[in-house]
Amino acid sequence: MSDETPLLDELEKGPWPSYVKEIKRAAKRSPASKDLLRIQEQSYKDRVTHWKHGGIVGVTGYGAGVIGRYCDAPEKFPEVTAFHTMRINQPAGWFYTTKALRKVCDIWEKYGSGMTNFHGATGDIILLGTTTENLQPCFDELTEAGFDLGGSGSALRTPAACVGQARCEWANIDTMALIHDLTMTYQDEIHRPRWPYKFKIKASGCPNDCVAAIARADFTIIGTWRDALRIDQAAVKQYVNDGMDIVSLVVNNCPTEALAWNEKSSTLVLKADDCVRCMHCINMMPKALRPGLQKGATILIGGKAPILKGANLSWVLVPFMEITPPYTEMKELLAKIWDWWDEHGKTRERLAELIERIGLKEFLRAVDIKPVPQMINKPRANPYVFF
Amino acid sequence: MSDETPLLDELEKGPWPSYVKEIKRAAKRSPASKDLLRIQEQSYKDRVTHWKHGGIVGVTGYGAGVIGRYCDAPEKFPEVTAFHTMRINQPAGWFYTTKALRKVCDIWEKYGSGMTNFHGATGDIILLGTTTENLQPCFDELTEAGFDLGGSGSALRTPAACVGQARCEWANIDTMALIHDLTMTYQDEIHRPRWPYKFKIKASGCPNDCVAAIARADFTIIGTWRDALRIDQAAVKQYVNDGMDIVSLVVNNCPTEALAWNEKSSTLVLKADDCVRCMHCINMMPKALRPGLQKGATILIGGKAPILKGANLSWVLVPFMEITPPYTEMKELLAKIWDWWDEHGKTRERLAELIERIGLKEFLRAVDIKPVPQMINKPRANPYVFF
Amino acid sequence: MRKTDIGPPDYRTMLPDVIAKNYGQWKYHEIVKAGVLKHVSETGDEVYTVRAGSPRLVSIDFIRDACDVADKYCDGHLRFTSRHNVEFLTPNKQNVEPLIQALGKLGMPVGGTGDCISNIVHTQGWIHCHSAATDASGIVKAIMDGLYDHFTNMKLPNHLRISLACCINMCGAIHCSDLAVVGVHTKPPRPDHQKVLAQCEIPTTIQSCPTGAVRRHPDANIKSVVVKEDLCMYCANCFTVCPAMPLADAEADGVAIYAGGKVSNARKPPMFSRMVVPFLPNHPPRWPEVVDVLKKIVEVYAASAKPSERLGEWIERIGWEAFFRRTEIPFTEQHIDDFTHAVETYRTTTQFKW
Amino acid sequence: MRKTDIGPPDYRTMLPDVIAKNYGQWKYHEIVKAGVLKHVSETGDEVYTVRAGSPRLVSIDFIRDACDVADKYCDGHLRFTSRHNVEFLTPNKQNVEPLIQALGKLGMPVGGTGDCISNIVHTQGWIHCHSAATDASGIVKAIMDGLYDHFTNMKLPNHLRISLACCINMCGAIHCSDLAVVGVHTKPPRPDHQKVLAQCEIPTTIQSCPTGAVRRHPDANIKSVVVKEDLCMYCANCFTVCPAMPLADAEADGVAIYAGGKVSNARKPPMFSRMVVPFLPNHPPRWPEVVDVLKKIVEVYAASAKPSERLGEWIERIGWEAFFRRTEIPFTEQHIDDFTHAVETYRTTTQFKW
Ligand code: SRM
Ligand code: SRM
Ligand code: SRM
Ligand code: SRM
Ligand code: SF4
Ligand code: SF4
Ligand code: SF4
Ligand code: SF4
Ligand code: SF4
Ligand code: SF4
Ligand code: SF4
Ligand code: SF4
């Protein structure tokens, strides 16, 4: 069968780096990648996928971390007959030494297609495509090198953190330390699926939410502060002198009218009680404004994609939680949530969907948290109340 | 049994006119009103109602217009054993000659309790409390006097109009003429229930919606205009000279930033394309601003109270309809809506609930109106689309 | 012979001359003072409107009194408003003060215009309805006494509309009012097995329940229904179709208070009223707890809202958490929506006030 | 012996010195130019970050190239971002330009910071997923080529995030993106009666359908399922649990485009992306229709939004009717929600633009 890939070749053109080039590079040494290229060209012709559901494949002792894949035309594409991916848990914040990365590359050159995703949408390193036989030895060498598998299936998925205090002045919590700790604490939950469905945890250091935790995590941790944000009036003046139209760019964009510009004293006036910590003014004037000093996190729950009952954004469960090792309060909360979900959840029912079905009231009772207005945007409009 | 009403007597105190005084006045001549007072006192003691469901009572040839009522203790309150109300269709806009009103009073003195509601929440005159025997003769004298019954049950309910062009400079349509015409056209639909449930029509002359049509009518007619609102700059200046802070009170309250205040020329600048005709600026400066000249109405549907599936506000069906006698376009639309609702609606299913159940798409096809973005605030967020 | 389907009188036969003459030609209006409107026509004509409060539940004597005033000052015409106030219209400025005097004598308060609290749209209650979970006219009287000054003055940020319905059928269409008082049951219906068969269609009754709480009686010999109490939300649909399952209960019935609704499209689109107090007991004759909560909310609103801001617009601006803090109304489980679109009310952001 | 549950490497072993030293002490940052960040610490230390675009689907050679650069200029460290860009960090200002040169040689564009279009979060597509209704990396490449200048420049009102998912499972979590491209099927699954019994649990398969479209095969002898086509919304849940009912179809599969979502809490709370184009055909290799629509939207947005206004904030301000008018995208039945909370999307006000 021909090795020509006229359609894919079109995707080598243009300024953006080309994944087709990448597959071709890998194909030089990996027959699997060669067939990957060919089967992709086939899909470009047919305009359908040529992959089938994977059976249960994996490594001893784990129920997660490998996505099984088989192609639907092994006779045409023998080298990708089986083409499983391994999800490798990234170090929190996605920092690497080149030494560690090269090691992963060497192992994958030996056991896999040489193709990867840096990174998967959840955050893992995705080692894309190997055979069933190679899974175990590849895993063994990876653990030797200090890496382990991430989550898949009805398990806790690999938690993720924004860069946080490692390189961001706005991090109200140490997201990387927290996520590393949780990941280590919940190795069993990550590797051995036992729940109604997947569960995701993500942590951002401030409401900018640079890991999109509120949209993608059943359990969303977002750094915040209780006191007033800090203002360096001199630096504010500097921005204004440098020509920033502070009123239209900053003051008028405050969602709660918490800011005012005092022309006379050319100072920025904050009504701290009205600030909802949206970050906008801080984002606009990083040299002049900073989060407050009483730092902690808001815990939100329920974020997920549309399957099955529609997408959810996480909503506020705990307005403020102090975030200090060993994170006991958070872990106790997670335990209560998982118990309740495990007990009442149907198969493929995410936490948010279970709460929608059974009611937030029941949930709050189960995790014994008392209702506060911060949990809602607005009270009920209907008169259909249970007493 | 005692005629003392110590509890009700408390409600004769205080500055607001007292309905208890009113019942006592009626009681002077009406034994029924005397027992009404006593049964009300009873309820004030027991803190429960003493009225029972009414059977089907009414006048010959009509299925609507009378609400049957019986008390649950005829032995104690014989005079209100049967105490039905008659709903009398008000003249559009609730204008009366004293002659007409006195006539109604005389008839009601003769046949009823002498107690009334001016008016009922739908808009009818409510003649509150009479016996089954008196219904027909009372009705006959009322029709002689030029009055007729309104709607009840699963019928078209008495339509209502704001005062409109009779005494309001903002009326974009002649609400009273329209509502009178519709009421006359649909006498049969009003008097002979035949639908899955009730149906209500209300018309307001502008988006201030002084009959709360958007909240209370399945078919909501609200006057509007297509061109730019009219500005009398001289009158604007006058307001400003009289000390109105036009920027904070008017300009800044425009929901779409369609207004600007030009300090130099001290003129009010309108971006007509951005105006959503909310009325605020006009409301604030009635002497300077007026609706435009291309007048018509927006038709909205679905408004209702919570029973059964929750309350609805009416939503836009026809962004702009010209409103001129004989209102053919509107009547054709009503016919299509009623046919579809009649065919698909379950018992006690209001139009909005049927649309929620079957889908707006189906409804639009049935009444053949093509979808426009004005019908929605925002497109779907979910990916669950039927093609 | 008998007349039917003649419809209501033609409104044109009911109009005062000045209205008929200037119909559709009004140019502008001003509020002369609380309760007095002046409308000016393109023709130069003027009409003064004096608006007076009414209990709505009135005797024919009341109507006749009003007619007497109208005959004296308004050439024998008057009208009622969509909120049940009475309006006396006259082209003669001179008539205005005497009119006000005359209404004073009748005990009819003049007001209800502009930035005020107008009449309360309300319903039947214990006066006439079998479905009532509370009274209507009685609470309304108590509330209007308590807020009387706001009817006769115009010192609020914008007008404030109060409505009351004696059960959740909400005949007052109170679901979009600045302040709404609604009668609620808090105990399930008690089917009367003697009467059910006689008075009710059992299948219809079972169907009527939105939560499926009404079930056939387990004992096949008893032709009646039972209520699964934990599923019941006391909506009374079953009672509406089956009189033999009353919910009324002296202790368990009372009122809930909702706030922040509006109907007009001015500035913000129309909004639903939302729960602020899930339950207050029925304490006739004057429902003091209800009056106090409403007064408190009006006070805080009047003190802190901006000009033109409706109650609901103000709450949206400051946030519900701030509303509960400032009004000192306790927040409970019941405030959290658990009906069909509940999730749409959850706070899916880190934006909130402490 | 075999190691398990060791977890990921400790991030502390992966940090460059300057990061380890100033961890938690960063004071402020500035964007030196597109793709170059400068963070300044309380200690006075500085770190420069050069951000480079990556196709995400890369060979180990690509990683090794990046490592070479990092060894040369970043003391052997680098990181990846939550949008799959590669970041090279160095305390030495002098290294920045050479770094950029070196990346240029490798064909890695520098940019993705500030008011730009960063990398596209995306998924597997025809490269690896059985569920794909379209490809991922291919469209992404075509789109980034088309919008390349917005990656290397910062001339938008705010940053604009594009995401892509090859089926409505939405692995890219694209449901809150400024612009989202999602693979959709538009024909029901075709159960393969031979395979169903062998490969699928029939009850589970029937249950899996949210609309109840999957039914037992009417012929009791055929142990399989049928699909009630008019109930099917092509969500593929049945296919996820039962491989024997594929939906993939060359003609009927394609992509839908959603817009206006955001995640950050800055100014407006997070928002969902909403449908702007219900269906565009799969036209590999470069999906020109898709690229054109996205370019058009970006153009109109860039031209008319205010500074700091995200795409969705801009649309909310001008209104969806104005959005469709200005972008000249046709409005169809499919845009109107008919799912669970549909009514919440209807326009319950007279406020709209013509
Ligand atoms: C690899 C990855 C996409 C990528 O290219 O990066 C991925 C790939 C798959 N996802 Fe996903 N999901 C991936 C991140 C996500 C995310 C994003 C996230 O985690 O932040 C989401 C949205 C967030 C969420 O969970 O709601 C996501 C929502 C889904 C769903 C819908 C779940 C839902 O409740 O809505 C499914 C369907 C399912 O679970 O059956 C799914 C199912 C799948 C499956 C396993 C397909 C299947 O049904 O078996 C895909 C395997 C593809 C393959 O052949 O490799 N994937 N999936 C991502 C995981 C890589 C990693 O571990 O880092
Ligand atoms: C008399 C009146 C209240 C009043 O004191 O003014 C009234 C009284 C009753 N309404 Fe109403 N409704 C009255 C206006 C309304 C309104 C307001 C309106 O029409 O603008 C509404 C809300 C708007 C709407 O229709 O959604 C209203 C929504 C209901 C409902 C709930 C309907 C729904 O779909 O949500 C019911 C329950 C039912 O229909 O079974 C109801 C049922 C009733 C019944 C017939 C009780 C029953 O279930 O049999 C009440 C008879 C009371 C009695 O004994 O006299 N009434 N009802 C109003 C009619 C007077 C008139 O004709 O002018
Ligand atoms: C007489 C009446 C119409 C009728 O056919 O009966 C009426 C008459 C006027 N309304 Fe109204 N409205 C009347 C019920 C309403 C209602 C319906 C209701 O209250 O149930 C509404 C919607 C209420 C709501 O939004 O919840 C209503 C919302 C308005 C507004 C919008 C105010 C706002 O900012 O939201 C205006 C504009 C204004 O007041 O500046 C308005 C303005 C007016 C004007 C100034 C119109 C004009 O130029 O004549 C009239 C005198 C207002 C005043 O009282 O100061 N009218 N007006 C109704 C008097 C009721 C009463 O006795 O108090
Ligand atoms: C590196 C990264 C975090 C990480 O752990 O990897 C990051 C880093 C920074 N983000 Fe972010 N954000 C990163 C993903 C995100 C995401 C998540 C996403 O895009 O999926 C979001 C939410 C997106 C959304 O809202 O849809 C995000 C929303 C923000 C915002 C809010 C902007 C807004 O007005 O909505 C800011 C503030 C700003 O840009 O002024 C911000 C600001 C920043 C700052 C300035 C924080 C700081 O002081 O260092 C960092 C440089 C921003 C820049 O690129 O100009 N970052 N940022 C991520 C880089 C992704 C990329 O390669 O492009
Ligand atoms: S989420 Fe906040 S703390 Fe984390 S990287 Fe983004 S801006 Fe910094
Ligand atoms: S953080 Fe947001 S809410 Fe707080 S003051 Fe700044 S702009 Fe306003
Ligand atoms: S609705 Fe408009 S036209 Fe009708 S009375 Fe009110 S303000 Fe005037
Ligand atoms: S009517 Fe409303 S939207 Fe139009 S200009 Fe006036 S305030 Fe703005
Ligand atoms: S609100 Fe309820 S109780 Fe009151 S009149 Fe209407 S139906 Fe009767
Ligand atoms: S009151 Fe409502 S919920 Fe309770 S049983 Fe009756 S119908 Fe059902
Ligand atoms: S979005 Fe769908 S097709 Fe794409 S990877 Fe995820 S599950 Fe597979
Ligand atoms: S695609 Fe979805 S809707 Fe269609 S049959 Fe399968 S599960 Fe049901």
Side-chain angles (χ1 to χ4, degrees), chain B residues 69, chain C residues 123-125 129-133 165-172:
Chain B
R69 266 301 161 257
Chain C
T123 50
Q124 296 294 322
C129 195
H130 67 288
S131 186
C166 22
C167 86
I168 65 169
N169 284 341
M170 290 198 188
C171 293

Side-chain angles (χ1 to χ4, degrees), chain A residues 13 16 22 25 29 44 47 49 62 69 83 98 102 109 116 166-167 169 174 191-192 210 287, chain D residues 5 23 26 29-30 56 58-59 61 64-65 71 82 87 126 128-130 135 141 145 251:
Chain A
K13 304 172 182 163
W16 189 252
E22 292 302 320
R25 287 172 87 179
R29 276 171 278 109
Y44 270 52
R47 298 188 289 153
T49 183
Y62 283 25
R69 262 311 156 252
F83 198 67
T98 53
R102 292 184 194 275
E109 175 157 16
T116 70
R167 200 205 52 203
E169 67 268 32
D174 187 344
H191 293 141
R192 294 167 198 92
C210 294
K287 293 178 183 172
Chain D
D5 302 295
Y23 199 98
W26 298 105
H29 78 282
E30 59 195 46
R56 189 186 85 120
V58 296
S59 66
D61 311 80
R64 286 168 174 156
D65 291 345
D71 287 337
S82 62
E87 289 185 335
W126 293 336
H128 200 264
C129 196
H130 66 288
D135 189 32
K141 162 74 169 143
D145 282 342
E251 296 308 321

